[in-house]
C-alpha cells in the first residue's frame, strides 16, 4: 500500500532536479526552426525590391490577403508600386513564397505579430522591406 | 459535302473546309498559333501539324489543308506531339519568356501551349532577340522580342482594316515584324493587331500593367459610341473599367472594334465625371443633395407649364431610358416638345424612311453589306462615322468582289480600296446627283418592274425633269457619262446597297436626301431583297432606338431647332437636356448659347460638366453605359443587351433612376427596373413585340419591318457658291464620335484637337502647310484651326470635324450642308 505512494513521490521528486520543459517566454525566446513560416519579407536586389508585380502571389493566396498594384518605372519596367499583406487574414501557408517566379518574397522566423490596432496588422511594402 | 474521319470520328463538312475547320466542327481541338478564323489561312507556325493516312511520311498543317473525301486524320500521335514540342522549343529559343511582367500572361497562346505540351527544357541554345521596344506610342506598345512571327497583325491590318501598317522585314533569323521604314506606328489605331496577337508582342499601352487578364471580371456589353452596335467585353476590376477584352466570337464583326471602342473606354472612370448633383446658388453651381436637386427639377419643369417645357435627349441613352423620357414628357408633363440630335441628324429615319417606306428604320441590315454586288456609299465619311461597318465594306470589296462606288464631296479611305470608284461632286449637290441617277434609270427603261406598282411613280418620274445627266454634270462637276455609267451599273447590279451615314456633322444628310436615295432604290427595284436596299446609319449607339422610342416631336410639338428658337424668344421657360451638348454639337454656337442663357430653368443631366451643363440651373450627374442595364438598337435594327459592369461612380445615378424618380415625383408611373420598362416597350413599340431580355441573349434580335414603299419626289436645293470663298463641309473624325470621345484618353491621344483639311492646290495658293494655324471666317465669326494638307480634298473644299469644344466648328456653321468661309493665315 505504501510502496506505490513512495514510488509516485519519488518520480515527483526526481523532476525537481531535471531541466524544466516550460519555456519562460518572453524572458526566454524559443529557437525557431529554419523552415518556420513567420512574417513575410520582400527580398532586395540592387537596392530595389525584387518583386516584379506579377500578381501570382495574390492569385494563389487562399486567404486573399495580398494586395499588389503594379507600376511602370522610368525604364518602363514593371514594379510593385504597392504591396501589402494583411496579417490578420494570412494563414501562413507559404503558397505565396512557392508561387513567386523571381524569389521576391520569403517568410521569416518572426512570429511576434501581436499589436494594438487592426491597421497595424497590414504590412505595407515599406514594412516588409525592412524585415531581415 | 465531304466525308472524312478525324481521330476515329466521322465528320461531314463543306468542301471548302480545312482539316482544322472539320476537326473544330467535330469538337476536336487542334492547337494553332498563326491561324485565325477571320483571316486567310497562312500556315506559318506548324503548330497544327496532323497526320493523314493518305499522305503518310510527313506531317501536314491542318489549317491550310483542304479536306478531301475519305481522308483519315490523326491529330495526336506521339510523333505529332514531338513535332509540336519542337515547334514550341524553337519559338521559345528566342523568346524572352518574361511572362511575369508580360500583360499577355494568362491569355497567351504560347504560354498556354508551352504548359500544355510540358516544354520545360530546350535542346537548342541561342541568344535572345535584342530589338528596340517601342514605348513611345500612346496606344500600342510593340515589343518585337516577344514576337513569334505568326503574321496575324500584318494580315488583319491588311485584310480587314485595309491599312497595311506592318510587314515582315529582313529574312531568316533576322526577320522581324516591322512598320514603314521601321519607324513609329502611325495608323488608325483600331487595335485589331493587338487583339489578335497571340503573345504579348503587341499590348495596349493604356492598359499596360493595370491588371492581370485572369483577375478581370469580363462583362459583355455594347459599344456606346457609334451606331454600328459593336458588341464588346469590358474588363473590370475594382469598380473600374480597365480595358476592353477581345472575344472573336462576339457580334457580326467577330470582336473587331475601332479606336473608340477599343481604346476610348476611359470616360467611364474619368476623374472629370460629375459625382454629385449641382444646383445654382447666387450664380454659382454648388454641390447639393439628390433630394434638393430633384425637388428643384420637378418643381421647375412642372411650373413652366406643358407648352413652355421642352427636352433634348441624347440617343446615347438606353431604349428603356428613352422610353421613360418620352413618357415623362408626353404623359406626365403633357408636352410634345422633345427631340434629339438637332433634329436633322435623325430626320432621315424618323421622317424620311417613315414617309417613304412606312417605318422609321433602314430596310436593310448590316449583314447585307458583304452580300451585295454593288455598294453605293454616300460620302467616304461612312468609314469615319462607322469604322467597323467600314471593315465590312473592306471585306466585301476585297473578299467578295463587291463593286464599290462612292459619291462624295472629297476622297477618303474608301476611295483607296481595290477597284473602288469615287465620284467627287461639288459640295451640297447630293440630291441633285441622286435625282440625276434616277433620271438615267427612268429614261433608259431601266426602271425595275417591281417599281411599277409603287405609289407615286408617275409623279416621281415627272419630278425628275430638269435632272438630266447633262444638267447635273454642269452643276455637280461629274461628267455626264460618269453619271450615266454609275446609274446603269447600279440599276443592272443584281444586288445593290446604298449606305447613308448620318450625324450632327452632316446637316445635308436629312429627310430629303434619304428620300431621294430611297426613291432611287425603289425605282431600280433594290428594296426588299437580300444584299440590297438602303442602310441608313444613325450616328450614335442608340440613334435607331431613339427614333423607335419616339424621341422626336409628335403632333404640334417643337423640334430641336424650334426649341432653341423658342428658348431665345422666351417662350420655352424650362429646358431639360439629357446627355446632349448642343453648345458644341448643334449648329450656330452663339445662337444656341444665347438661347440657353435665356431659358428660365435649364436642367442638364450628363456624365460631365459639359459646355452646356455649365449654363444649367441644376446639373444632375448621370451614369455611363457601363453602369446600367438595358438595350441599344443599332444600325440595321439590331436590339442588343447592355449590361451593368460597375457600380455608379460617386453619387451619380443612371438616367433610368433619375427619370423614374422624376416621373413619380410628378405623379407619373414608376418602374422597378429597366426590365419592367422593356416589358412595356415590347407591348407598345412596333417591332419590339414579344422581345424579352432572355430572348435577346448574347446575340441580340432583329426588329422586323414590312416595306410599304412609295415615291416621294424631292427637289434639290441649289447651292449658292460665294466668290472667293471656300466650301466648308463638316463631319466626323475617325477617332471620335459625338462630343463624348473627348473624355476617352485613347481618342484624345491620337486626335486631341480640331483641324481643317485643305487640298494641295489650295494650300499652295494660301501658302499654308501642315499644322499652320488658319483662320476660317464666316458670317462675322471666326475660328482658328490647325491645317492639314492632303490629296483627298478637292480644290476649293475644306473639311473640319465637329466634336471639339475649343474653336468649335459650330461657331461658324449654321446648319446648312455647306458653309462658305474665307480662309486666311
Ligand atoms: S502565406 Fe498563404 S495566406 Fe499568407 S499571404 Fe502567403 S499565400 Fe496568403
Ligand atoms: S509572386 Fe513574387 S514577383 Fe509576383 S507579385 Fe508576388 S512577390 Fe511579386
Ligand atoms: S491598330 Fe489597326 S490600323 Fe494600326 S496597325 Fe494595328 S490593325 Fe493596323
Ligand atoms: S507581333 Fe504578334 S501578331 Fe504580329 S507577328 Fe508577332 S506575334 Fe504575330
Ligand atoms: S465606335 Fe462604332 S464602330 Fe467603333 S467600336 Fe464602337 S460601335 Fe463599333
Ligand atoms: S496554325 Fe496552322 S500553321 Fe500555324
Amino acid at each position: 500500500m505504501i510502496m506505490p505512494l513512495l514510488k509516485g513521490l519519488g518520480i515527483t521528486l526526481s523532476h525537481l532536479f531535471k531541466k524544466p520543459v516550460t519555456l519562460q517566454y518572453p524572458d526566454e525566446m524559443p529557437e525557431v526552426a529554419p523552415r518556420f513560416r513567420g512574417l513575410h519579407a520582400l527580398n532586395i536586389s540592387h537596392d530595389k525590391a525584387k518583386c516584379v508585380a506579377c500578381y501570382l502571389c495574390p492569385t494563389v493566396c487562399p486567404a486573399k490577403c495580398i494586395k499588389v498594384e503594379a507600376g511602370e518605372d522610368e525604364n518602363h519596367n514593371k514594379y510593385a508600386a504597392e504591396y501589402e499583406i494583411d496579417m490578420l487574414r494570412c494563414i501562413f501557408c507559404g503558397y505565396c513564397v512557392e508561387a513567386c517566379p523571381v524569389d521576391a518574397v520569403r517568410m521569416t522566423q518572426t512570429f511576434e505579430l501581436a499589436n494594438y490596432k487592426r491597421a497595424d496588422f497590414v504590412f505595407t511594402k515599406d514594412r516588409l522591406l525592412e524585415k531581415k | 459535302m465531304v466525308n472524312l474521319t478525324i481521330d476515329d470520328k466521322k465528320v461531314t463538312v463543306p468542301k471548302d473546309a480545312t482539316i482544322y475547320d472539320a476537326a473544330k466542327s467535330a469538337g476536336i481541338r487542334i492547337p494553332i498559333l498563326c491561324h485565325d478564323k477571320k483571316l486567310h489561312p497562312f500556315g506559318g507556325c506548324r503548330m497544327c501539324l496532323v497526320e493523314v493516312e493518305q499522305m503518310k511520311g510527313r506531317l501536314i498543317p491542318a489549317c491550310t489543308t483542304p479536306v478531301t473525301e475519305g481522308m483519315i486524320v490523326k491529330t495526336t500521335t506521339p510523333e505529332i506531339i514531338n513535332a509540336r514540342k519542337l515547334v514550341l522549343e524553337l519559338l521559345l529559343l528566342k523568346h524572352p519568356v518574361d511572362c511575369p511582367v508580360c500583360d499577355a500572361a494568362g491569355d497567351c497562346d504560347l504560354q498556354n501551349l508551352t504548359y500544355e505540351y510540358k516544354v520545360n527544357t530546350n535542346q537548342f541554345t541561342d541568344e535572345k532577340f535584342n530589338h528596340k521596344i517601342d514605348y513611345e506610342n500612346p496606344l500600342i506598345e510593340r515589343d518585337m522580342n516577344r514576337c513569334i512571327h505568326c503574321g496575324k497583325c500584318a494580315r488583319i491590318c491588311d485584310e480587314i482594316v485595309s491599312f497595311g501598317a506592318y510587314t515582315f522585314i529582313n529574312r531568316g533569323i533576322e526577320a522581324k515584324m516591322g512598320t514603314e521604314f521601321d519607324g513609329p506606328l502611325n495608323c488608325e489605331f483600331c487595335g485589331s493587331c493587338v487583339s489578335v496577337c497571340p503573345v504579348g508582342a503587341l499590348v495596349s499601352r493604356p492598359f499596360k500593367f493595370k491588371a492581370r487578364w485572369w483577375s478581370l471580371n469580363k462583362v459583355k456589353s455594347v459599344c456606346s459610341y457609334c451606331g454600328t452596335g459593336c458588341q464588346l467585353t469590358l474588363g473590370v476590376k475594382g469598380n473600374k473599367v480597365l480595358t476592353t477584352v477581345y472575344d472573336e466570337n462576339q457580334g457580326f464583326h467577330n470582336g473587331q472594334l475601332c479606336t473608340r471602342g477599343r481604346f476610348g473606354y476611359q470616360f467611364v472612370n474619368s476623374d472629370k465625371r460629375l459625382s454629385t448633383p449641382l444646383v445654382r446658388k447666387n450664380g454659382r453651381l454648388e454641390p447639393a443633395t439628390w433630394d434638393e436637386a430633384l425637388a428643384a427639377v420637378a418643381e421647375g419643369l412642372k411650373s413652366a407649364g406643358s407648352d413652355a417645357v421642352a427636352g433634348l435627349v441624347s440617343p446615347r441613352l438606353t431604349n428603356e431610358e428613352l422610353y421613360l423620357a418620352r413618357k415623362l414628357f408626353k404623359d406626365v408633363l403633357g408636352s410634345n416638345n422633345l427631340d434629339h440630335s438637332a433634329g436633322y441628324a435623325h430626320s432621315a429615319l424618323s421622317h424620311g424612311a417613315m414617309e417613304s417606306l412606312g417605318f422609321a428604320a433602314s430596310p436593310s441590315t448590316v449583314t447585307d453589306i458583304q452580300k451585295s454586288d454593288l455598294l453605293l456609299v454616300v460620302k467616304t465619311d461612312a468609314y469615319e462615322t462607322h469604322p467597323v461597318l467600314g471593315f465590312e465594306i473592306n471585306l466585301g470589296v476585297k473578299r467578295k468582289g463587291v463593286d464599290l462606288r462612292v459619291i462624295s464631296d472629297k476622297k477618303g479611305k474608301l476611295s483607296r480600296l481595290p477597284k473602288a470608284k469615287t465620284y467627287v461632286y461639288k459640295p451640297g449637290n447630293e440630291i441633285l446627283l441622286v435625282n440625276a441617277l434616277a433620271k438615267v434609270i427612268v429614261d433608259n427603261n431601266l426602271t425595275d418592274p417591281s417599281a411599277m406598282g409603287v405609289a407615286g411613280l408617275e409623279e416621281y418620274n415627272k419630278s425628275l425633269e430638269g435632272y438630266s445627266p447633262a444638267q447635273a454634270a454642269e452643276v455637280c462637276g461629274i461628267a455626264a457619262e460618269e453619271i450615266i455609267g454609275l446609274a446603269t451599273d447600279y440599276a443592272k447590279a443584281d444586288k445593290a446597297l446604298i449606305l447613308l451615314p448620318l450625324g450632327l456633322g452632316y446637316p445635308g444628310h436629312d429627310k430629303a436626301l434619304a428620300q431621294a436615295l430611297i426613291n432611287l432604290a425603289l425605282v431600280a427595284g433594290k428594296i426588299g431583297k437580300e444584299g440590297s436596299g438602303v442602310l441608313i446609319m444613325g450616328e450614335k449607339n442608340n440613334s435607331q432606338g431613339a427614333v423607335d422610342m419616339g424621341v422626336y416631336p409628335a403632333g404640334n410639338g417643337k423640334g430641336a431647332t424650334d426649341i432653341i428658337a423658342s428658348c431665345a424668344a422666351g417662350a420655352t421657360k424650362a429646358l431639360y437636356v439629357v446627355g446632349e451638348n448642343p453648345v458644341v454639337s448643334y449648329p450656330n454656337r452663339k445662337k444656341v448659347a444665347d438661347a440657353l442663357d435665356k431659358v428660365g430653368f435649364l436642367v442638364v443631366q450628363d456624365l460631365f460638366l459639359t459646355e452646356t451643363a455649365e449654363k444649367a440651373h441644376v446639373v444632375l450627374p448621370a451614369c455611363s453605359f457601363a453602369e446600367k442595364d438595358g438595350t441599344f438598337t443599332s444600325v440595321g435594327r439590331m436590339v442588343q443587351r447592355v449590361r451593368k459592369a460597375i457600380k455608379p461612380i460617386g453619387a451619380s445615378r443612371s438616367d433610368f433612376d433619375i427619370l423614374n424618380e422624376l416621373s413619380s415625383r410628378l405623379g407619373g408611373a414608376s418602374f422597378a427596373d429597366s426590365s419592367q420598362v422593356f416589358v412595356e416597350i415590347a407591348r407598345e413599340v412596333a417591332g419590339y413585340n414579344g422581345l424579352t431580355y432572355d430572348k435577346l441573349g448574347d446575340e441580340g434580335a432583329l426588329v422586323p419591318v414590312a416595306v410599304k414603299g412609295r415615291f416621294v419626289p424631292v427637289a434639290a436645293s441649289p447651292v449658292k457658291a460665294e466668290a472667293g470663298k471656300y466650301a466648308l463641309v463638316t463631319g466626323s473624325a475617325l477617332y471620335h464620335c459625338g462630343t463624348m470621345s473627348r473624355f476617352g484618353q485613347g481618342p484624345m491621344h491620337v486626335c486631341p484637337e480640331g483641324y481643317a483639311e485643305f487640298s494641295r492646290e489650295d494650300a499652295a495658293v494660301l501658302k499654308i502647310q501642315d499644322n499652320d494655324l488658319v483662320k476660317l471666317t464666316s458670317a462675322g465669326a471666326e475660328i482658328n484651326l490647325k491645317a492639314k494638307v492632303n490629296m483627298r480634298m478637292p480644290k476649293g473644299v475644306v473639311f473640319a470635324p465637329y466634336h471639339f469644344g475649343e474653336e468649335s466648328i459650330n461657331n461658324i456653321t449654321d446648319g446648312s450642308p455647306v458653309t462658305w468661309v474665307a480662309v486666311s493665315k
Side-chain angles (χ1 to χ4, degrees):
Chain A
M1 185 66 194
I2 194 96
M3 276 318 283
L5 192 69
L6 286 179
K7 227 179 180 174
L9 281 173
I11 289 172
T12 311
L13 205 67
S14 76
H15 273 279
L16 282 178
F17 304 102
K18 280 191 187 156
K19 195 169 173 266
V21 285
T22 313
L23 193 68
Q24 293 303 313
Y25 178 80
D27 296 333
E28 280 173 66
M29 293 302 266
E31 204 169 298
V32 179
R35 294 170 64 179
F36 180 81
R37 298 195 298 264
L39 177 65
H40 304 66
L42 286 173
N43 291 337
I44 296 177
S45 139
H46 297 92
D47 293 333
K48 268 199 224 140
K50 275 173 104 178
C51 171
V52 294
C54 73
Y55 289 80
L56 287 185
C57 53
T59 304
V60 78
C61 175
K64 294 281 162 270
C65 62
I66 309 180
K67 181 177 172 225
V68 183
E69 278 307 331
E72 188 176 355
D73 70 12
E74 60 286 357
N75 299 321
H76 303 286
N77 290 327
K78 199 178 185 185
Y79 77 104
E82 267 181 61
Y83 190 101
E84 246 174 54
I85 304 185
D86 182 352
M87 283 303 160
L88 282 177
R89 294 178 65 180
C90 175
I91 56 166
F92 301 94
C93 62
Y95 281 7
C96 46
V97 179
E98 220 175 298
C100 184
V102 293
D103 186 27
V105 64
R106 83 194 128 92
M107 291 176 98
T108 63
Q109 300 181 329
T110 311
F111 60 88
E112 295 176 297
L113 299 169
N115 227 320
Y116 291 100
K117 282 196 241 85
R118 279 176 173 273
D120 291 335
F121 287 92
V122 177
F123 282 75
T124 55
K125 189 177 173 186
D126 292 341
R127 287 175 77 190
L128 291 167
L129 279 172
E130 281 165 12
K131 297 289 164 227
K132 288 287 132 34
Chain B
M1 291 306 241
V2 174
N3 303 298
L4 67 162
T5 316
I6 306 178
D7 287 351
D8 301 325
K9 255 196 202 172
K10 296 242 176 296
V11 191
T12 309
V13 285
K15 67 171 189 289
D16 59 351
T18 60
I19 298 179
Y20 173 77
D21 299 332
K24 196 172 169 193
S25 74
I28 297 167
R29 186 182 143 263
I30 296 175
I32 49 169
L33 276 173
C34 71
H35 186 67
D36 189 299
K37 67 170 188 180
K38 297 196 291 289
L39 303 173
H40 290 310
F42 181 62
C45 74
R46 306 282 133 167
M47 193 61 211
C48 62
L49 291 176
V50 292
E51 192 182 286
V52 176
E53 185 78 34
Q54 289 85 342
M55 302 185 225
K56 264 275 166 65
R58 65 192 171 105
L59 298 175
I60 57 164
C63 70
T64 50
T65 313
V67 291
T68 51
E69 185 66 38
M71 230 178 200
I72 300 172
V73 184
K74 287 258 172 324
T75 67
T76 37
T77 63
E79 193 194 349
I80 293 174
I81 293 193
N82 276 337
R84 288 184 187 154
K85 273 192 173 175
L86 183 67
V87 167
L88 289 169
E89 275 179 38
L90 288 168
L91 286 175
L92 291 168
L93 186 60
K94 287 282 193 181
H95 190 88
V97 202
D98 54 351
C99 311
V101 294
C102 173
D103 272 347
D107 186 30
C108 170
D109 293 351
L110 182 63
Q111 192 185 45
N112 292 343
L113 290 169
T114 302
Y115 184 74
E116 184 183 339
Y117 285 83
K118 303 194 184 65
V119 185
N120 35 30
T121 53
N122 205 329
Q123 47 185 306
F124 311 99
T125 45
D126 196 359
E127 275 168 29
K128 300 285 177 190
F129 287 128
N130 192 14
H131 297 305
K132 194 167 162 276
I133 302 171
D134 178 4
Y135 293 118
E136 309 309 317
N137 195 297
L139 296 178
I140 298 175
E141 185 168 305
R142 293 188 310 123
D143 179 351
M144 286 307 119
N145 301 307
R146 292 181 185 148
C147 174
I148 58 162
H149 302 98
C150 71
K152 280 208 245 177
C153 51
R155 286 182 286 141
I156 202 158
C157 191
D158 171 39
E159 289 177 33
I160 299 184
V161 185
S162 224
F163 188 87
Y166 299 121
T167 181
F168 280 116
I169 51 178
N170 299 334
R171 286 285 174 270
I173 202 84
E174 309 266 278
K176 166 181 158 186
M177 187 48 81
T179 49
E180 199 178 11
F181 300 110
D182 215 4
L185 189 61
N186 188 6
C187 62
E188 289 177 16
F189 295 108
C190 64
S192 301
C193 50
V194 178
S195 56
V196 293
C197 181
V199 293
L202 301 173
V203 294
S204 155
R205 179 148 255 285
F207 177 56
K208 191 182 176 191
F209 299 161
K210 288 266 161 51
R212 285 316 216 162
W213 185 83
W214 60 81
S215 68
L216 291 174
N217 190 13
K218 296 160 190 90
V219 184
K220 288 185 179 180
S221 197
V222 179
C223 178
S224 74
Y225 280 113
C226 85
T228 304
C230 299
Q231 295 188 9
L232 47 73
T233 305
L234 297 173
V236 183
K237 193 181 157 191
N239 213 42
K240 274 198 173 143
V241 173
L242 292 180
T243 187
T244 44
V245 181
Y246 172 62
D247 175 355
E248 63 167 9
N249 296 319
Q250 270 190 308
F252 71 89
H253 50 101
N254 297 313
Q256 289 285 108
L257 299 174
C258 74
T259 326
R260 290 125 43 161
R262 175 81 53 214
F263 293 117
Y265 52 82
Q266 299 91 343
F267 72 93
V268 173
N269 290 97
S270 161
D271 46 18
K272 296 202 186 98
R273 280 279 301 269
L274 289 166
S275 61
T276 151
L278 304 171
V279 173
R280 194 169 291 277
K281 289 174 193 153
N282 307 323
R284 292 216 346 241
L285 284 170
E286 306 274 0
T289 62
W290 270 105
D291 203 45
E292 189 183 351
L294 285 171
V297 174
E299 174 56 28
L301 295 183
K302 197 163 127 196
S303 62
S306 61
D307 287 340
V309 61
L312 294 170
V313 180
S314 166
R316 291 214 188 282
L317 269 52
T318 63
N319 284 323
E320 291 76 0
E321 292 163 345
L322 293 165
Y323 185 84
L324 271 189
R326 177 89 195 95
K327 221 171 146 77
L328 176 72
F329 269 84
K330 195 159 158 260
D331 299 349
V332 182
L333 297 169
S335 163
N336 274 324
N337 307 326
L338 181 66
D339 206 355
H340 71 274
S341 300
Y344 60 78
H346 66 74
S347 65
L349 289 162
S350 59
H351 296 87
M354 191 70 192
E355 261 179 52
S356 293
L357 296 167
F359 51 83
S362 311
S364 312
T365 69
V366 168
T367 44
D368 284 322
I369 297 177
Q370 287 200 51
K371 290 182 192 146
S372 187
D373 293 329
L374 183 144
L375 288 177
L376 179 60
V377 181
V378 181
K379 293 202 183 152
T380 51
D381 302 55
Y383 191 86
E384 278 89 4
T385 55
H386 298 74
V388 172
L389 291 184
F391 295 169
E392 290 291 297
I393 301 176
N394 292 342
L395 284 170
V397 172
K398 294 171 81 163
R399 292 230 176 116
K400 308 273 163 71
V402 175
D403 189 355
L404 177 64
R405 310 294 178 100
V406 190
I407 52 171
S408 182
D409 48 16
K410 57 193 159 296
K411 291 200 169 176
K413 162 132 186 204
L414 293 177
S415 318
R416 294 198 298 271
L417 288 179
K419 301 203 192 114
K421 218 165 167 231
T422 311
Y423 304 82
V424 180
Y425 54 75
K426 297 204 178 116
N429 287 309
E430 293 85 8
I431 297 180
L432 176 88
L433 179 58
V434 173
N435 281 351
L437 293 173
K439 176 85 175 144
V440 176
I441 293 179
V442 171
D443 285 356
N444 293 321
N445 292 327
L446 288 167
T447 306
D448 192 78
S450 71
M452 300 302 176
V454 177
L457 178 62
E458 217 165 291
E459 203 186 319
Y460 176 60
N461 286 348
K462 243 184 263 152
S463 78
L464 293 176
E465 288 300 322
Y467 292 102
S468 75
Q471 283 164 307
E474 206 171 297
V475 183
C476 74
I478 302 176
E481 309 82 70
E482 299 257 289
I483 297 177
I484 296 169
L486 174 60
T488 318
D489 291 344
Y490 172 74
K492 288 195 172 155
D494 222 8
K495 294 179 277 182
L497 178 67
I498 297 175
L499 264 58
L500 172 67
L502 306 180
L504 287 163
Y506 304 92
H509 294 202
D510 57 357
K511 175 186 171 191
L513 180 58
Q515 291 189 318
L517 289 165
I518 294 171
N519 291 337
L520 175 66
L522 282 172
V523 83
K526 301 287 187 245
I527 290 190
K529 285 197 289 184
E530 185 176 70
S532 285
V534 185
L535 192 62
I536 306 173
M537 296 145 61
E539 183 183 26
K540 307 274 168 66
N541 52 316
N542 203 17
S543 289
Q544 181 63 54
V547 172
D548 292 343
M549 298 305 130
V551 181
Y552 55 91
N556 58 351
K558 294 188 192 74
T561 319
D562 290 343
I563 291 175
I564 300 288
S566 79
C567 286
T572 292
K573 298 201 172 59
L575 179 63
Y576 187 11
V577 178
V578 185
E580 290 275 85
N581 188 5
V583 174
V584 175
S585 63
Y586 286 18
N588 203 332
R589 181 166 185 156
K590 187 166 185 314
K591 193 164 117 194
V592 174
D594 287 350
L596 296 186
D597 285 337
K598 289 231 177 73
V599 180
F601 186 64
L602 176 65
V603 189
V604 177
Q605 180 171 318
D606 208 306
L607 271 59
F608 301 98
L609 195 65
T610 58
E611 292 80 355
T612 306
E614 277 165 9
K615 300 185 174 299
H617 297 97
V618 180
V619 179
L620 304 174
C623 286
S624 73
F625 80 113
E627 294 144 68
K628 54 199 186 191
D629 276 303
T631 54
F632 291 157
T633 309
S634 60
V635 169
R637 323 178 311 266
M638 191 64 136
V639 189
Q640 305 185 105
R641 275 282 271 129
V642 181
R643 293 185 185 81
K644 185 169 170 168
I646 59 169
K647 292 201 287 290
I649 302 289
S652 67
R653 291 192 188 173
S654 70
D655 299 278
F656 174 87
D657 285 343
I658 304 171
L659 291 163
N660 205 25
E661 167 91 27
L662 273 179
S663 167
S664 71
R665 276 183 190 238
L666 290 164
S670 92
F671 295 83
D673 57 16
S674 61
S675 66
Q676 265 202 14
V677 182
F678 198 72
V679 171
E680 190 166 322
I681 292 176
R683 201 169 58 227
E684 303 286 331
V685 180
Y688 288 68
N689 307 105
L691 290 183
T692 62
Y693 279 0
D694 280 347
K695 272 194 201 153
L696 295 182
D698 282 345
E699 305 281 301
L702 206 61
V703 174
V705 287
V707 180
K708 271 204 278 332
R710 77 188 171 93
F711 288 100
V712 183
V714 187
S717 33
V719 183
K720 285 193 213 75
E722 291 176 28
K725 294 201 172 170
Y726 291 80
L728 170 72
V729 289
T730 59
S732 285
L734 177 60
Y735 310 103
H736 288 277
C737 177
T739 58
M740 190 175 72
S741 49
R742 295 181 297 160
F743 297 95
Q745 284 151 18
M748 288 310 265
H749 274 312
V750 219
C751 181
E753 58 188 353
Y755 53 85
E757 285 185 62
F758 292 89
S759 68
R760 292 209 171 158
E761 295 96 317
D762 291 337
V765 174
L766 290 160
K767 296 197 177 55
I768 48 177
Q769 282 172 345
D770 266 348
N771 294 327
D772 282 355
L773 216 53
V774 288
K775 189 189 287 173
L776 308 183
T777 321
S778 169
E782 60 169 59
I783 53 168
N784 294 293
L785 292 173
K786 274 198 184 151
K788 277 194 187 184
V789 181
N790 57 37
M791 307 231 284
R792 79 178 188 125
M793 301 305 300
K795 195 167 167 295
V797 183
V798 185
F799 171 81
Y802 78 94
H803 326 287
F804 304 94
E806 310 252 294
E807 300 294 312
S808 66
I809 197 76
N810 67 342
N811 277 304
I812 55 171
T813 61
D814 194 17
S816 54
V818 189
T819 309
W820 296 93
V821 292
V823 181
S824 58
K825 229 174 138 176

